[in-house]
Amino acid sequence: MYTFSNKLRIGSFIAMALGLIFLVIGFVSAPSTVEEAKAMVAVHGESHDGGHAEEATAEHGEEQGHGAEAAHGEEHDASHDTHLLHQLQNRPWSALYVAAFFFFMIALGVLAFYAIQRAAQAGWSPLLFRVMEGITGYLVPGGIIVFVILVLSVMHMNHMFVWMDPEVVAHDELLQGKAGYLNPVFFLVRAAIFLGGWIFYRQLSRKLSLAQDESNDNSNFVKNFRWSAGFLVFYLVTESMMSWDWIMSVDPHWFSTLFGWYVFASMFVSGITVIAMVTVYLKSKGYLEDVNDSHIHDLAKFMFGISIFWTYLWFAQFMLIWYADIPEEVTYYVTRIADYKLPFFGMLALNFIFPLLVLMNSDYKRVNWFVIMTGVVILFGHYLDIFNMIMPSTVGDQWFIGVPEIGGILFFGGLFVFTVFTTLTKAPLRPKRNPFIGESKHFHY
Amino acid sequence: MASKVIQALYDDDDVLMHAVKKVRAEHHHIEEVYTPFPVHGLDKAMGLADTRIAITSFLYGCLGLTVAVVMMNFIMIEDWPQDIGGKPSFSYLENMPAFVPIMFELTVFFAAHLMVITFYLRSRMWPFKKAENPDVRTTDDHFLMEIGVHDNEKELAALLMETGAIEVIVTEKES
């Protein structure tokens, strides 16, 4: 049995408290009126906003040339200001949402990996099942928090999803055309179905996994195998739809067909990385004596391979849109390259080049601190990935990784660590009579 | 290399593995082991050095990537920078996404093919090469261990019989 080390527990509480304070600061300091927003931007970016102001005047000049009406220019100015206000108001919400989704997606990625290991009847991984079950323990609180944020969005507490605003839809024919799918009630019903299905499988599989320890035949194992195979079918469909709903719809004018796979790759590699990191941590504390370097080696191989798979999908999406350069699709990347150059290309270095070069060597994959170091880099890279998906559509060029963003990471990171390690204390770390446990113990690569 | 060698035949890979370990423990130098299929762990038991072929492959891949970049940069950007469908051929970086498929494929091509050729050269394999097989049965279901003889024929033969060899032959090796 694993006992939650006091240091880690206190650490997770401190992270949560600090994160909460940072998030509150973020929400309090968000402007509530147009004047405040303008003042904030003026103070904030006296020097670097010069170009922006010039651009704006140039635009206005053109406007006047067209209509020669001062009133028109003013109206445009006002709409520009409301836009800015909404962006600044969105920032703490987006910071909250990105962090909430990021940690939730790790648990979901682990659940997918777990189901695959069960359905494939892998011989090497049963020793790690309890670690995976511990991590997927975060699915319940994390999923509920994400759902609450979505409900609050539907209740117009924020402007992250523009299609939820009836005012906007009334003036937007594209959104009217999509209203059959993108309408608040259907959106929440879908989210409830996705989360319900995932949490149901997680709880059921955990129950069967624990029952298998106490039973005297393999019926629980067989049932778990069947449920896992069924879950994978359900997951494949719902994960794709979830990515349209929760991520792609912040940019409701844009669509991409392989988006679901792309989000999947991101969550899958983050999930595997977290499995590897938690395993190495538990092993270093002496809790997983049967886990050897070959298990770590296998996890590191998955980290390496899926990192490249993620890059493949990232590039496939980017290159197809860049190559064809169709205006209605390409704006997605135009805004990202214009306003998010460093996070956008920086994440490629973190998620592709770094793991490619570091984890290519077979010997390095067995060095535990190497795996941890690469894991930290990969996780940060995939946080940036989610950041790059959400932020450009919600806060635009007003982004910064500051107090609310770090607060979000700290709060959800702390909650994640607390939930995961609490779940790990609930059951023995080594499954007792999994049919493959002997093979897993002697696994050697 | 000893001109006289002793050859022990086995009919089971487990027995062979134990024999190899035992012969090594007795400090005899194993010249060669012939098997019909890869025996897992045999290289470790014989104490063979790790292969470096993966490192050569990485270097060949780097070469392939360089070839692709230099080639596309010269052809598309420097030599004749035409406007083809509005793609920006002002600098390599601006048009890079279009070159990535070529860069990827050439990297894989060089890494794979040059590594295979390295393998052939290093293990001396080519068409019309005379097969080096001391006993035809080693390609079917027998395993053969070959040890050089230095005036210790009797002692070696006894040791090999003890390890479970089904047949021990002493022959002159022409090399």
Side-chain angles (χ1 to χ4, degrees):
Chain A
M1 285 298 258
Y2 170 69
T3 45
F4 201 162
S5 92
N6 245 338
K7 245 195 240 161
L8 199 62
R9 189 200 305 267
I10 291 168
S12 71
F13 280 135
I14 292 173
M16 269 192 272
L18 213 60
L20 205 60
I21 294 168
F22 280 14
L23 279 172
V24 169
I25 293 174
F27 277 102
V28 170
S29 60
S32 49
T33 61
V34 172
E35 284 69 37
E36 272 179 50
K38 278 165 89 171
M40 265 176 86
V41 175
V43 172
H44 203 65
E46 204 111 281
S47 51
H48 86 94
D49 222 39
H52 192 73
E54 263 167 50
E55 209 176 280
T57 25
E59 217 172 282
H60 288 178
E62 209 176 290
E63 200 86 49
Q64 272 162 356
H66 273 296
E69 273 176 283
H72 193 79
E74 256 164 52
E75 196 182 292
H76 182 83
D77 216 21
S79 82
H80 179 82
D81 291 339
T82 356
H83 183 62
L84 178 72
L85 172 68
H86 284 174
Q87 285 184 335
L88 288 173
Q89 281 178 335
N90 266 341
R91 198 180 144 202
W93 280 100
S94 306
L96 181 78
Y97 185 56
V98 168
F101 181 79
F102 175 68
F103 284 98
F104 170 76
M105 128 184 143
I106 291 175
L108 189 60
V110 172
L111 190 70
F113 188 73
Y114 172 80
I116 289 171
Q117 297 300 310
R118 282 214 175 265
Q121 306 200 351
W124 65 279
S125 53
L127 269 181
L128 305 174
F129 276 175
R130 286 293 143 78
V131 176
M132 299 183 208
E133 285 164 13
I135 298 169
T136 54
Y138 181 74
L139 209 63
V140 182
I144 290 171
I145 291 172
V146 170
F147 189 73
V148 167
I149 295 176
L150 296 179
V151 170
L152 292 178
S153 306
V154 167
M155 288 162 64
H156 305 299
M157 300 289 284
N158 60 58
H159 309 276
M160 282 196 297
F161 299 89
V162 283
W163 58 266
M164 286 175 184
D165 193 343
E167 265 304 288
V168 175
V169 178
H171 295 101
D172 193 324
E173 283 201 43
L174 265 174
L175 292 187
Q176 286 163 19
K178 291 182 183 183
Y181 186 79
L182 286 182
N183 65 72
V185 177
F186 190 27
F187 176 80
L188 287 183
V189 169
R190 281 196 307 268
I193 292 172
F194 305 156
L195 283 166
W198 300 333
I199 290 173
F200 169 75
Y201 165 73
R202 192 268 159 190
Q203 301 298 53
L204 181 79
S205 180
R206 167 78 162 180
K207 212 181 85 196
L208 290 171
S209 172
L210 294 180
Q212 174 68 22
D213 271 10
E214 308 303 330
S215 75
N216 38 27
D217 61 3
N218 285 339
S219 62
N220 292 305
F221 176 80
V222 175
K223 266 189 223 158
N224 216 345
F225 165 75
R226 292 200 181 123
W227 277 106
S228 301
F231 165 75
L232 284 172
V233 176
F234 175 79
Y235 172 78
L236 202 68
V237 177
T238 50
E239 188 276 335
S240 206
M241 292 175 76
M242 175 276 278
S243 73
W244 311 334
D245 282 8
W246 299 359
I247 298 181
M248 205 156 80
S249 84
V250 295
D251 221 338
H253 284 180
W254 181 79
F255 55 87
S256 160
T257 40
L258 63 68
F259 198 74
W261 281 109
Y262 173 62
V263 174
F264 163 74
S266 203
M267 71 167 68
F268 204 49
V269 68
S270 319
I272 293 165
T273 303
V274 170
I275 298 174
M277 290 169 82
V278 174
T279 308
V280 169
Y281 170 77
L282 289 174
K283 194 170 113 105
S284 75
K285 296 285 168 199
Y287 286 108
L288 293 168
E289 62 268 27
D290 290 328
V291 171
N292 55 43
D293 284 348
S294 295
H295 294 100
I296 306 294
H297 190 152
D298 260 27
L299 286 168
K301 268 192 275 188
F302 268 109
M303 283 161 68
F304 175 74
I306 308 295
S307 281
I308 290 168
F309 177 64
W310 173 88
T311 317
Y312 166 65
L313 292 177
W314 178 87
F315 184 71
Q317 181 170 278
F318 173 74
M319 194 257 235
L320 282 180
I321 290 174
W322 172 86
Y323 218 117
D325 209 16
I326 301 174
E328 57 260 46
E329 288 182 349
V330 84
T331 47
Y332 185 80
Y333 287 111
V334 169
T335 51
R336 274 157 184 79
I337 291 174
D339 297 332
Y340 289 73
K341 219 173 222 117
L342 183 65
F344 189 69
F345 292 110
M347 83 175 170
L348 263 190
L350 297 175
N351 291 343
F352 173 58
I353 299 171
F354 187 79
L356 176 83
L357 294 178
V358 170
L359 288 180
M360 193 186 295
N361 190 318
S362 204
D363 296 329
Y364 291 172
K365 288 195 266 258
R366 312 178 80 87
V367 180
N368 290 353
W369 66 267
F370 240 86
V371 174
I372 293 280
M373 181 187 70
T374 321
V376 170
V377 172
I378 290 178
L379 285 184
F380 181 58
H382 283 281
Y383 172 80
L384 276 186
D385 188 16
I386 306 298
F387 187 86
N388 283 329
M389 289 189 222
I390 301 287
M391 290 291 181
S393 327
T394 54
V395 303
D397 57 357
Q398 298 300 322
W399 70 277
F400 191 69
I401 298 192
V403 172
E405 285 78 11
I406 293 170
I409 297 175
L410 281 177
F411 177 74
F412 287 101
L415 184 67
F416 184 82
V417 168
F418 178 74
T419 318
V420 168
F421 285 91
T422 307
T423 319
L424 284 172
T425 59
K426 299 265 168 71
L429 284 182
R430 181 169 56 201
K432 252 182 247 141
R433 51 183 313 285
N434 185 304
F436 290 109
I437 199 75
E439 188 181 336
S440 184
K441 266 187 222 170
H442 299 115
F443 174 66
H444 168 78
Y445 169 73
Chain B
M1 202 174 169
S3 61
K4 220 174 177 190
V5 293
I6 189 160
Q7 295 172 335
L9 274 153
Y10 299 86
D11 57 358
D12 189 287
D13 48 344
D14 274 345
V15 179
L16 173 78
M17 284 288 283
H18 285 119
V20 166
K21 281 175 192 155
K22 187 150 188 198
V23 169
R24 291 243 312 153
E26 303 274 333
H27 301 295
H28 294 291
H29 177 68
I30 301 171
E31 302 268 351
E32 193 63 90
V33 174
Y34 297 86
T35 65
F37 52 78
V39 178
H40 187 74
L42 185 62
D43 51 340
K44 284 223 172 59
M46 286 174 71
L48 298 181
D50 278 345
T51 172
R52 287 167 295 181
I53 199 145
I55 298 169
T56 67
S57 179
F58 177 76
L59 296 175
Y60 296 145
C62 293
L63 177 69
L65 184 64
T66 313
V67 168
V69 171
V70 170
M71 176 177 77
M72 299 311 292
N73 185 48
F74 177 72
I75 297 173
M76 302 302 290
I77 309 294
E78 280 175 15
D79 190 33
W80 197 0
Q82 279 191 105
D83 182 341
I84 303 166
K87 276 202 300 307
S89 40
F90 307 108
S91 74
Y92 190 79
L93 205 60
E94 271 179 287
N95 211 357
M96 204 209 43
F99 303 143
V100 166
I102 299 158
M103 287 154 67
F104 171 78
E105 293 293 349
L106 275 182
T107 307
V108 175
F109 179 86
F110 273 64
H113 289 82
L114 291 181
M115 177 176 75
V116 168
I117 293 168
T118 307
F119 169 72
Y120 285 155
L121 291 175
R122 199 68 187 80
S123 41
R124 297 161 194 281
M125 294 203 314
W126 57 86
F128 310 113
K129 160 160 175 131
K130 194 167 169 293
E132 300 165 6
N133 191 3
D135 193 312
V136 286
R137 288 173 294 175
T138 60
T139 62
D140 183 14
D141 60 350
H142 280 65
F143 306 83
L144 190 149
M145 186 184 347
E146 196 172 272
I147 303 167
V149 175
H150 307 276
D151 302 327
N152 52 356
E153 208 180 302
K154 283 232 171 65
E155 181 204 333
L156 259 179
L159 175 70
L160 288 171
M161 283 314 282
E162 203 186 304
T163 60
I166 55 163
E167 213 177 304
V168 174
I169 313 155
V170 180
T171 61
E172 292 290 326
K173 184 107 173 172
E174 64 220 61
S175 55

